[in-house]
Amino acid sequence: MDTQTVLRYSRRSLWLRALLVPLTAVIAACGGLGRRAEQQQAAVAQETEKVQPTAAPAPAAQSGEQKQGTTASAATTELPATPACEDDDDPTPPQTAGPFYTPNTPLRTSLLEPGLGGTRLLLSGQVLSTKCTPIAGALLDFWHTDDAGDYDNEGYTFRGHQFADAAGRFTLETIVPGIYPGRTRHIHVRVQAPNQPILTTQLYFPGESGNQGDGIFDPVLLLELADAANGKEAQFTFVLDVP
Ligand SMILES: [Fe+2]
């Protein structure tokens, strides 16, 4: 091989390398993006998995008074049902926890921390039984994404638990969460009456374009949302199917 030929081959190999290096980088980047999309798809599948509600308890045997009432109502006008809990007496339906729950969250009623962006949200409400009795000391464990729609899976940002007061009331100071890809805007929560089973569910925001397309969105779980002086205010009443 003469000198000219060697130079020609060397130049060609340099050209090939110059082409191959960026091509490899692009393929690697696409692979990374593909993996992230797959992880998000898997997370959404876990979050939107349907949870079967627990079976409704068998109706209690009718008392003598109820039987009498039934007989009487057949002959006379039926009395309207006694209003209870302002229609909040149906148990709050369960929903999946999704893949991003972290146990042992800090005890706190404010998830706000310096440097965290987002619209402030003051979420308050009450925990009741199906008999409309306030559940004092009920545990509430909240978690949601940051303003950009990302969960903190290494620390406890936007994660925290608290206990309802003697009237079953709670208040949480946080932000309006961002939107996790593939889901509509939501807040995760676990609620538990002392020594009773845990209710795991999610809360939703009214007026969100993503609500109707979300696999498990349930209008029963919509927050009552309003504008506030420094952000938003929301209310929700949890009803637990406990004795
Ligand atoms: Fe989620």
Side-chain angles (χ1 to χ4, degrees):
M1 201 178 288
D2 60 22
T3 313
Q4 286 298 322
T5 313
V6 169
L7 278 172
R8 204 162 54 239
Y9 276 105
S10 301
R11 279 193 207 111
R12 188 178 297 170
S13 79
L14 278 172
W15 267 106
L16 275 172
R17 275 188 206 176
L19 279 171
L20 277 173
V21 168
L23 193 63
T24 314
V26 168
I27 290 167
C30 288
L33 283 175
R35 272 194 300 281
R36 184 166 162 76
E38 277 170 21
Q39 283 166 354
Q40 283 177 342
Q41 273 177 2
V44 169
Q46 278 192 54
E47 289 221 348
T48 54
E49 193 182 348
K50 293 271 193 314
V51 173
Q52 293 301 319
T54 45
Q62 282 189 320
S63 68
E65 197 176 347
Q66 282 169 326
K67 280 180 189 164
Q68 232 177 19
T70 310
T71 315
S73 68
T76 59
T77 312
E78 197 169 327
L79 290 171
T82 307
C85 297
E86 295 175 349
D87 290 337
D88 287 335
D89 51 342
D90 285 336
T92 303
Q95 294 216 310
T96 178
F100 301 126
Y101 176 69
T102 301
N104 305 316
T105 58
L107 173 65
R108 54 181 176 174
T109 57
S110 177
L111 308 183
L112 298 178
E113 292 175 40
L116 295 176
T119 303
R120 283 191 173 211
L121 173 69
L122 189 65
L123 168 60
S124 57
Q126 201 173 14
V127 185
L128 303 174
S129 75
T130 47
K131 296 186 185 78
C132 304
T133 312
I135 301 180
L139 167 71
L140 298 115
D141 195 358
F142 294 97
W143 73 105
H144 62 76
T145 70
D146 63 14
D147 191 36
D150 293 319
Y151 287 95
D152 176 10
N153 292 313
E154 282 155 21
Y156 294 99
T157 306
F158 297 122
R159 298 174 186 273
H161 76 274
Q162 59 175 285
F163 295 94
D165 67 13
R169 296 197 176 279
F170 68 91
T171 301
L172 178 74
E173 200 178 17
T174 186
I175 62 158
V176 174
I179 296 177
Y180 188 83
R183 290 297 320 279
T184 191
R185 202 184 304 278
H186 63 281
I187 291 176
H188 291 271
V189 60
R190 285 192 150 142
V191 191
Q192 183 182 27
N195 304 312
Q196 294 295 323
I198 297 169
L199 167 73
T200 301
T201 192
Q202 301 183 29
L203 304 177
Y204 296 96
F205 290 76
E208 291 289 329
S209 57
N211 283 348
Q212 296 314 315
D214 190 274
I216 57 165
F217 168 74
D218 185 342
V220 168
L221 296 167
L222 276 171
L223 295 164
E224 278 178 48
L225 191 67
D227 290 331
N230 61 346
K232 300 275 185 187
E233 280 179 357
Q235 296 223 324
F236 194 82
T237 303
F238 294 98
V239 181
L240 303 184
D241 194 6
V242 295

